[in-house]
Amino acid sequence: MTSYLIGLVGSGIGPSASPALHEREADELGLRYVYRLLDLDVLRRPVGDVVAAARLAGFDGLNVTHPAKQLVLEHLDELSSEAEALGAVNTVVFERGRAIGHNTDATGFARSLGRGLPDVRMDDVVLLGAGGAGAAVAHALLSLGAGRLTIHDVDRARGENLAEALNERFGEGRAEAGDLAAVENADGLVHATPTGMAAHPGSPVAAELLRPDLWVADIVYRPLETALLAAARARGCRVLNGGGMVVLQAAESFRLFTGVEPDPARMLRHFDALEGEAARAA
């Protein structure tokens, strides 16, 4: 039986659904697949040390999450064209002694948005967060035809740098750094920061800024119903939770790790079952 050893690198990743999501799909495909959490808060080591140790230990690959999607870049030997364009990595494949970085977040978000909110207007979209996940979401939105993207980040310079990179790739004037006031005239709002996660409760947007003709997407998936989505739903907005993105990016990561095509629809069913189990255990 072909076997794989995979890890997830990030901070506060104890609640992650990734181990069970990957392992259940591997079971369906007849693969031996062990998925381990490599929590930076627990290990108390920098991301470079963790990547080096995983390589020496014989891991076949790593998923990378907050806050390491950009920090990991300098510790890799090669980047895929997508990862290089995004300036962020969420998947590392160890291949013939080399660590190769990929990014499956952009396609995961694009497919989730197309699946969950297929007909929304995107003339003017606001993105909260310019980190690794935010960069992937930004590229996905502009690739899907968003007319103008306003990026708000607590680090204004980071938002400006992302906007500059996006304009170089997609054309001048497609992206700009801005503030939350842009939500008032936007068609859609996408949230791509850790706010709303179990370890970072709360909403990044005041409920008063939300209105029924605004659609709202959140990439946080634990919990699925974040404070932002609950407020948006109460205000009459169409909403999209982070479940679809986490599953669809995981499916592409699984393919990169194994060379075997997973079944995304089945993985979505795995996720629904896992969420039900988590709710019953709470």
Side-chain angles (χ1 to χ4, degrees):
M1 179 182 289
T2 304
S3 61
Y4 299 90
L5 176 60
I6 308 298
L8 173 64
V9 180
S11 294
I13 54 177
S16 174
S18 292
L21 191 60
H22 280 249
E23 289 176 352
R24 289 189 183 192
E25 182 61 13
D27 286 344
E28 296 280 356
L29 294 168
L31 304 176
R32 176 172 295 181
Y33 197 103
V34 177
Y35 195 113
R36 293 286 181 253
L37 298 180
L38 304 174
D39 196 315
L40 298 172
D41 295 341
V42 175
L43 298 172
R44 298 185 180 277
R45 304 296 301 175
V47 64
D49 288 358
V50 175
V51 171
R55 190 195 310 231
L56 288 173
F59 276 70
D60 296 288
L62 300 170
N63 281 133
V64 182
T65 189
H66 175 80
K69 292 182 180 184
Q70 293 167 323
L71 296 174
V72 76
L73 294 174
E74 64 184 281
H75 305 290
L76 305 178
D77 300 306
E78 184 181 337
L79 297 178
S80 70
S81 57
E82 182 80 349
E84 187 168 13
L86 296 176
V89 160
N90 79 324
T91 302
V92 177
V93 178
F94 295 117
E95 189 175 295
R96 295 186 295 277
R98 294 175 62 77
I100 304 170
H102 300 264
N103 195 299
T104 68
D105 281 335
T107 54
F109 178 79
R111 290 170 184 168
S112 178
L113 188 66
R115 176 176 171 270
L117 295 173
D119 55 354
V120 291
R121 289 188 57 178
M122 292 198 297
D123 295 337
D124 198 330
V125 180
V126 175
L127 169 66
L128 305 187
V137 168
H139 280 75
L141 287 166
L142 291 178
S143 295
L144 289 170
R148 182 176 62 182
L149 185 65
T150 301
I151 303 163
H152 174 67
D153 194 280
V154 292
D155 182 343
R156 175 98 184 177
R158 186 163 68 166
E160 290 172 347
N161 290 339
L162 177 56
E164 182 179 350
L166 292 167
N167 287 330
E168 288 179 5
R169 184 178 186 188
F170 293 98
E172 198 60 38
R174 297 290 300 282
E176 64 181 10
D179 56 35
L180 286 175
V183 175
E184 295 179 10
N185 299 309
D187 298 311
L189 169 67
V190 183
H191 172 239
T193 85
T195 303
M197 294 171 63
H200 303 276
S203 174
V205 178
E208 292 72 26
L209 279 176
L210 307 174
R211 58 183 200 282
D213 60 337
L214 178 78
W215 57 267
V216 179
D218 202 328
I219 71 165
V220 172
Y221 74 93
R222 283 281 171 88
L224 275 178
E225 184 79 347
T226 61
L228 171 61
L229 291 188
R233 201 185 301 277
R235 302 283 285 193
C237 305
R238 294 178 64 186
V239 301
L240 178 70
N241 65 45
M245 178 181 174
V246 73
V247 173
L248 296 170
Q249 64 80 21
E252 179 60 13
S253 290
F254 186 99
R255 186 189 67 78
L256 289 168
F257 292 144
T258 66
V260 177
E261 290 289 344
D263 183 336
R266 183 167 59 204
M267 291 184 75
L268 286 162
R269 294 194 295 273
H270 293 328
F271 181 79
D272 288 342
L274 288 167
E275 288 306 297
E277 292 168 13
R280 289 191 295 273

